Amino acid sequence: MCEGETIGSNLGRYADFVGLHTTLRLRRRLFGHACRPYTKLPSGILHLAEETCDYWGLQAEKIILEHTEFNYATLTLPEAQKLTLFSNMLSQPAGRCFRRSACGWVGERASRFRYCEHCLSEWRRKRVCPYRILCHQLPGVYLCYLHSNILKGVKKQFSEDITDQTLTALRSKDDEQILITTSIEHKDAIEDVAKRSARYLRGVDRLPSLTSFRDLLREAGLVRSSGETDHRGLIESMLTHFGAEYCWLAGLTGQKMNAWSRNIADVRSTCEPSHAFMFIAAESVLYRRSASPGSFVPSIRKGIRDKEGAQFSQAEIECLRTRWHSIVRSARPDKRITAAYRIDSKLYRTLSRYDHLWFMAYNRDNRTPPGRSLYVPQGIKNSASNPGGD
Ligand SMILES: [Zn+2]
């Protein structure tokens, strides 16, 4: 199993290798039930882990957290529901089970199967078999955050009921880059969504609280002096931020933005929370708006003042976090945090001082060993032996 690979992609590669025309029987054997190809949050993962232990050698918990959309799909769910879904995925399905899938996002027009040409050339160089990356298939993710490269969409039509296709089988010469006419500003915005989605998928971050989102709306100048939220203003900001083409392709409609904004503004709202993608898109635009000077008059600065008077807004802190994250990611894997400290000790000190809680938690989770420990719902952490260890 490659890093960030979907389960189906791996089964497809196996089927190719041994010459199977369909993965249906293989899936039944591995999952212990008839699990259809392209199921995003499958059940029977304990069974799958046992069946594949000689081949993958992965704990069931690790399969769920690193090779399914679990972290992303449950981003907006309360802890109790996350736990229920997690244990449902471990065991066999009992009748029609609860499914909250990241494909619950409707109206996306871009191809569901996307890949990065730069990843492909890298694999070619390293003689790695091409595979489908989980993160590239998330709603609105049209850019490879590793290569800052716009993804290509698979054009080929195929039946999703028979087998798991490999990326090699899906690709064709007709495939085109998504968003051909994108400007630099829009590309930045789209890259931001890709990065945030990747981080949420890996379980590195939690979504800001609803209260923080209300603060962000205020900071972004989208709350009138009467206290009313400027829903139209938010929709316009999103259109400007991402560009109409992206919104159209991603199915980011005015209706969805409006619903999100009203939900956030209404403190007593009991509605089903919006999709993770809607939150990520809104988060991206609000941080950008708060960060660009002149676009509004900040009513609240959530920054922290130091003795010299240096002040960091939430957006600036975000930038520092992103920088630290990319340094840690690129640092030598045997001593991540120490190596990252050597690369930028100033950044280390700044974050340690001004964003202490996040910084400590992030470093703890990304230290080696015990490895890239991902978000594990409470209660599971103790019962599983070293789920995140590598
Ligand atoms: Zn790439």
Side-chain angles (χ1 to χ4, degrees):
M1 196 76 128
C2 297
E3 193 181 336
E5 181 175 21
T6 64
I7 296 173
S9 164
N10 195 280
L11 299 186
R13 291 200 287 130
Y14 175 80
D16 248 23
F17 183 69
V18 297
L20 299 176
H21 294 298
T22 161
T23 49
L24 292 179
R25 280 178 64 185
L26 174 69
R27 282 182 159 267
R28 182 178 274 280
R29 205 186 78 216
L30 296 181
F31 288 92
H33 65 101
C35 176
R36 287 185 41 200
Y38 303 100
T39 304
K40 301 232 175 186
L41 300 172
S43 300
I45 302 289
L46 275 173
H47 196 279
L48 176 72
E50 262 168 47
E51 289 291 317
T52 56
C53 80
D54 291 339
Y55 182 52
W56 292 346
L58 292 177
Q59 299 265 355
E61 288 77 8
K62 201 168 160 107
I63 297 177
I64 294 180
L65 296 175
E66 295 186 19
H67 300 282
T68 78
E69 292 177 8
F70 178 82
N71 279 322
Y72 182 93
T74 57
L75 199 60
T76 59
L77 290 191
E79 204 63 28
Q81 275 189 47
K82 273 189 200 178
L83 274 172
T84 310
L85 179 60
F86 197 89
S87 63
N88 284 350
M89 284 176 74
L90 287 173
S91 45
Q92 291 295 312
R96 286 193 64 195
C97 54
F98 172 65
R99 280 277 180 279
R100 183 190 170 89
S101 159
C103 61
W105 179 257
V106 288
E108 187 168 36
R109 291 176 175 89
S111 166
R112 258 185 68 200
F113 298 96
R114 303 186 280 268
Y115 60 93
C116 163
E117 280 289 353
H118 293 206
C119 284
L120 276 172
S121 13
E122 206 172 297
W123 292 329
R124 222 172 282 136
R125 239 186 2 259
K126 294 180 182 165
R127 296 178 186 279
V128 173
C129 185
Y131 60 92
R132 292 203 311 274
I133 296 181
L134 197 55
C135 184
H136 290 173
Q137 331 293 330
L138 296 178
V141 172
Y142 300 154
L143 183 140
C144 172
Y145 74 97
L146 288 174
H147 298 108
S148 294
N149 179 40
I150 297 281
L151 301 176
K152 276 190 170 177
V154 164
K155 277 208 174 154
K156 221 183 248 180
Q157 299 285 324
F158 61 96
S159 163
E160 295 187 14
D161 293 333
I162 302 161
T163 194
D164 293 275
Q165 303 272 2
T166 60
L167 179 55
T168 313
L170 286 172
R171 281 177 62 218
S172 70
K173 281 202 186 91
D174 303 335
D175 296 344
E176 280 168 7
Q177 274 199 342
I178 298 163
L179 308 155
I180 297 155
T181 56
T182 301
S183 73
I184 297 201
E185 292 79 30
H186 293 155
K187 195 182 162 197
D188 277 353
I190 294 158
E191 180 160 15
D192 190 50
V193 166
K195 283 183 177 162
R196 285 176 196 275
S197 303
R199 289 174 61 76
Y200 285 127
L201 177 67
R202 290 210 321 282
V204 175
D205 282 340
R206 300 282 186 98
L207 207 60
S209 66
L210 298 187
T211 317
S212 307
F213 269 111
R214 282 182 208 116
D215 289 346
L216 272 171
L217 278 168
R218 205 169 298 121
E219 276 194 59
L222 290 167
V223 176
R224 299 196 185 92
S225 48
S226 59
E228 227 181 306
T229 304
D230 181 4
H231 304 297
R232 269 193 88 87
L234 176 73
I235 295 174
E236 277 160 22
S237 301
M238 290 193 105
L239 276 169
T240 318
H241 183 66
F242 292 116
E245 189 185 8
Y246 177 83
C247 293
W248 185 80
L249 280 168
L252 210 49
T253 60
Q255 203 182 1
K256 282 179 193 152
M257 299 176 198
N258 192 38
W260 180 86
S261 167
R262 284 178 193 279
N263 244 333
I264 293 293
D266 183 2
V267 186
R268 295 150 304 159
S269 171
T270 50
C271 292
E272 162 97 346
S274 295
H275 192 278
F277 175 40
M278 193 56 236
F279 275 91
I280 292 170
E283 191 188 9
S284 172
V285 73
L286 291 177
Y287 274 125
R288 178 57 58 89
R289 252 187 89 104
S290 319
S292 44
S295 63
F296 73 106
V297 182
S299 49
I300 296 177
R301 292 286 275 185
K302 288 200 301 176
I304 307 133
R305 197 176 289 276
D306 82 0
K307 275 182 244 148
E308 294 85 49
Q311 190 177 307
F312 294 95
S313 70
Q314 195 58 37
E316 285 159 343
I317 290 281
E318 264 299 296
C319 276
L320 298 176
R321 286 180 181 182
T322 309
R323 232 166 75 204
W324 182 247
H325 172 65
S326 73
I327 292 173
V328 171
R329 288 284 292 172
S330 63
R332 47 184 277 203
D334 55 333
K335 274 190 167 186
R336 280 234 164 93
I337 303 302
T338 318
Y341 169 78
R342 292 217 176 96
I343 295 168
D344 195 342
S345 59
K346 195 174 167 216
L347 179 62
Y348 182 99
R349 283 193 298 273
T350 309
L351 276 168
S352 167
R353 188 164 175 191
Y354 297 109
D355 194 15
H356 191 72
L357 285 179
W358 176 87
F359 193 58
M360 290 297 123
Y362 179 86
N363 290 349
R364 190 187 57 229
D365 289 347
N366 290 277
R367 199 174 286 285
T368 30
R372 293 162 291 123
S373 85
L374 289 119
Y375 161 72
V376 180
Q378 283 161 4
I380 288 161
K381 211 170 207 161
N382 303 329
S383 61
S385 50
N386 190 23
D390 47 5

